[in-house]
Amino acid sequence: MKTKLLSLVTALLVVGLAGCSSAPAKYTYVVDPDLTEKADNLTRTSAHTGHVVWVNPPMKRVPVNQQP
């Protein structure tokens, strides 16, 4: 009984994940130039100047058809 239940759950999981991954993408993420410019301006105007290194740059969500 447990093996039948396990195989059923596994099959449903595979079908569910395959369906989600094949859905068309409506949005994509691009680097947000406004936020990066704001951080660069802060380093120029601050008394404690530093160097900004983006490990994870700020991103914004845009529709695929409006992607630059």
Side-chain angles (χ1 to χ4, degrees), residues 3-63:
T3 57
K4 192 178 216 180
L5 182 64
L6 181 63
S7 62
L8 178 66
V9 169
T10 304
L12 288 174
L13 184 65
V14 167
V15 170
L17 290 176
C20 292
S21 66
S22 64
K26 296 179 184 176
Y27 296 97
T28 186
Y29 290 91
V30 295
V31 175
D32 190 357
D34 297 332
L35 288 177
T36 55
E37 185 66 29
K38 189 185 301 183
D40 289 340
N41 287 338
L42 283 175
T43 59
R44 280 188 230 121
T45 59
S46 174
H48 305 289
T49 59
H51 178 68
V52 176
V53 177
W54 292 106
V55 176
N56 294 321
M59 305 292 274
K60 67 178 179 180
R61 183 176 147 181
V62 295

